[in-house]
Amino acid sequence: MRNLVFQDPGIRVSTNATQSLNHAWERIRVPVVVPALHLAMYICIAMSVMLFLERIYMAIVIAGVKCFGKKRYTKYKLESVKEDLEKNKNYPMVLVQIPMFNEKEVYKLSIGAVCGLSWPSDRLIVQVLDDSTNEVLRTLVDLECRKWIERGINVKYETRNNRNGYKAGALKEGLKKQYVDDCEFVVIFDADFQPDEDFLWRTIPFLLDNPELALVQARWKFVNADECLMTRLQEMSLDYHFSVEQEVGSSTCSFFGFNGTAGVWRIRAVNDAGGWKDRTTVEDMDLAVRASLKGWKFLFVGDLAVKNELPSTFKAYRFQQHRWSCGPANLFRKMIKEIILCERVSVWKKFHLIYGFFFVRKIIAHWVTFFFYCVVIPATILVPEVHLTKPLAIYLPATITILNAACTPRYVNSQN
């Protein structure tokens, strides 16, 4: 009786549970987990190679553009167009839309920047589309608009009793106003964007010189990029988007998407494409795809930047990334059949739109980033039967990352 050892029942239960889990894991690891992980690994490798080849293709195009110094927008003879405008005083009527929602911190800056645009005041309409739910803030925005009206700027303050369609709904309602009938072009600036005063002079002439052009898109310049590590990483990602993805789409006359702001649309092209729709969270991309399928052309002006701010809180960043990740996949699902059956665009443009723009950049890129790097690679550590080589696990992702970083303006400037 003295040699008897009494064991705590709680410890015995815990030990039995651990042994049961280990036994279950050993039974399913080889016949179930290993084949599934092998399949996931091969799929992720294939997607990584596709993403790598897409990055290489864009790097080659950008290298060619820089070596020959022939970006697409440089071929236009804008000086003659500007001289004709100033000589004959035949300025087109331009509408500038500023959609906003509870923009307490930035509404003065955005309205002030737009009202300061260099363009004849009788040929410019500033439309403030305020969907704010804060009545006090609405009053402040209204007062700001009245201040600029007293200075001779044609400002229209528009509000709605609902938020149907959100931003797309506000833009759509704004274009239905009677005073818009005389406007030929519409410029869109989100509430945190501050264009330079010569923005219209550097964009409108492109549209006047080419009647087939529907959109002129400017790049973004971030005033708070150095605020924290998160904003710096966002700057790197978005700089690659503008410096490479948008430039390649414009230079090869294929497709690139509207960024939702800092762009000038020909109103006739917007109407021809069916106007704004709120069926997805990427209404800007939706309009651009439909206009492209109608045969309209787009132009990206890389040397024209508009100041704005990056999300500096994780909540705002998460909301933005969720919209940018889920929206394109949803739009692709809705429009794949329409794109394939469209007869007005070339096979190359269809291929670029389906494979390059949607499938690789908007779907595969997100899948590889999460599923491969966050799930498959860590899982191979727990399952020794699945072997992932260094070139696939390290060198390929590292090369993609280096290509992304090497094309950012800050990197290029530091090398110079």
Side-chain angles (χ1 to χ4, degrees):
M1 294 294 291
R2 295 179 180 176
N3 296 329
L4 291 178
V5 178
F6 294 95
Q7 187 177 14
D8 187 347
I11 297 177
R12 189 187 310 120
V13 172
S14 176
T15 302
N16 292 338
T18 304
Q19 291 176 349
S20 299
L21 288 174
N22 289 336
H23 182 66
W25 168 250
E26 290 300 329
R27 293 189 62 181
I28 67 171
R29 183 165 59 88
V30 175
V32 178
V33 176
V34 172
L37 191 55
H38 267 125
L39 178 62
M41 185 181 67
Y42 294 143
I43 293 175
C44 289
I45 290 173
M47 292 192 297
S48 295
V49 171
M50 294 169 67
L51 184 61
F52 172 74
L53 294 177
E54 178 72 9
R55 291 291 192 266
I56 292 296
Y57 159 73
M58 289 191 290
I60 293 174
V61 174
I62 287 298
V65 169
K66 291 185 178 296
C67 287
F68 293 103
K70 292 185 177 180
K71 295 183 179 180
R72 186 180 165 207
Y73 57 87
T74 59
K75 74 176 185 177
Y76 292 91
K77 307 299 181 182
L78 297 187
E79 293 303 322
S80 60
V81 178
K82 293 178 182 178
E83 292 176 1
D84 179 68
L85 284 176
E86 294 176 346
K87 179 180 179 180
N88 299 319
K89 307 297 181 183
N90 55 345
Y91 303 99
M93 183 69 78
V94 178
L95 172 71
V96 182
Q97 292 183 311
I98 312 176
M100 59 176 60
F101 175 69
N102 293 337
E103 304 289 350
K104 182 179 179 180
E105 292 80 10
V106 295
Y107 74 91
K108 283 188 178 181
L109 293 175
S110 61
I111 294 175
V114 170
C115 290
L117 290 172
S118 175
W119 200 255
S121 58
D122 61 328
R123 308 301 293 172
L124 179 68
I125 301 176
V126 178
Q127 190 182 65
V128 179
L129 305 170
D130 190 8
D131 277 358
S132 299
T133 54
N134 188 321
E135 292 299 329
V136 176
L137 183 56
R138 278 195 175 192
T139 302
L140 293 175
V141 176
D142 187 20
L143 290 174
E144 184 69 16
C145 293
R146 292 179 184 275
K147 182 181 75 174
W148 286 102
I149 292 174
E150 293 174 356
R151 298 181 182 180
I153 305 299
N154 189 3
V155 181
K156 305 291 184 180
Y157 179 63
E158 305 289 353
T159 61
R160 300 190 296 168
N161 295 325
N162 57 70
R163 292 200 67 211
N164 293 340
Y166 300 100
K167 179 181 175 181
L171 295 173
K172 184 177 181 180
E173 290 295 325
L175 290 178
K176 290 182 179 180
K177 303 300 179 181
Q178 187 175 1
Y179 55 81
V180 178
D181 294 342
D182 297 329
C183 296
E184 188 174 350
F185 306 110
V186 57
V187 191
I188 301 169
F189 292 113
D190 283 349
D192 59 333
F193 277 69
Q194 303 165 42
D196 292 335
E197 63 177 15
D198 62 346
F199 180 87
L200 296 180
W201 283 104
R202 298 177 65 181
T203 53
I204 297 296
F206 287 110
L207 294 157
L208 294 175
D209 192 43
N210 186 358
E212 296 181 346
L213 206 59
L215 167 68
V216 175
Q217 174 71 60
R219 65 175 302 134
W220 300 354
K221 180 181 179 181
F222 311 106
V223 297
N224 65 332
D226 294 320
E227 183 172 341
C228 60
L229 179 61
M230 186 174 67
T231 55
R232 180 66 186 99
L233 293 175
Q234 290 179 75
E235 181 195 35
M236 182 183 297
S237 174
L238 290 171
D239 276 344
Y240 180 84
H241 167 69
F242 285 106
S243 301
V244 180
E245 293 179 347
Q246 297 290 72
E247 192 67 70
V248 167
S250 182
S251 298
T252 58
C253 299
S254 48
F255 174 81
F256 68 89
F258 175 46
N259 295 114
T261 180
V264 186
W265 277 92
R266 191 185 302 273
I267 294 182
R268 184 161 58 90
V270 174
N271 296 331
D272 184 40
W276 292 99
K277 294 184 180 180
D278 59 353
R279 56 182 177 174
T280 67
T281 58
V282 284
E283 67 284 333
D284 43 12
M285 188 183 299
D286 188 355
L287 176 61
V289 172
R290 286 184 280 112
S292 178
L293 295 180
K294 289 289 185 178
W296 291 97
K297 298 178 180 179
F298 304 155
L299 180 68
F300 173 69
V301 183
D303 63 353
L304 176 59
V306 181
K307 293 183 293 184
N308 73 302
E309 293 185 0
L310 290 162
S312 56
T313 64
F314 181 72
K315 181 179 179 181
Y317 175 71
R318 184 182 62 180
F319 177 79
Q320 179 198 72
Q321 293 302 307
H322 180 269
R323 173 179 172 270
W324 288 357
S325 300
C326 299
N330 190 24
L331 179 62
F332 181 59
R333 178 179 61 85
K334 291 177 179 293
M335 295 204 65
I336 177 63
K337 183 178 179 181
E338 183 178 348
I339 296 172
I340 294 175
L341 298 179
C342 180
E343 298 179 354
R344 299 190 62 173
V345 298
S346 64
V347 176
W348 160 248
K349 197 166 186 177
K350 289 182 186 179
F351 174 79
H352 177 268
L353 181 57
I354 294 174
Y355 175 80
F357 182 80
F358 274 115
F359 192 60
V360 176
R361 299 183 202 170
K362 306 302 181 183
I363 298 176
I364 283 182
H366 299 296
W367 267 92
V368 168
T369 302
F370 172 74
F371 195 63
F372 189 35
Y373 301 153
C374 300
V375 178
V376 174
I377 292 180
T380 57
I381 300 175
L382 302 176
V383 183
E385 290 84 356
V386 180
H387 180 63
L388 188 61
T389 61
K390 282 186 178 180
L392 298 175
I394 300 176
Y395 301 147
L396 192 62
T399 303
I400 294 175
T401 303
I402 291 171
L403 287 174
N404 290 354
C407 295
T408 59
R410 187 176 300 195
Y411 174 88
V412 174
N413 292 337
S414 67
Q415 299 304 302
N416 296 333

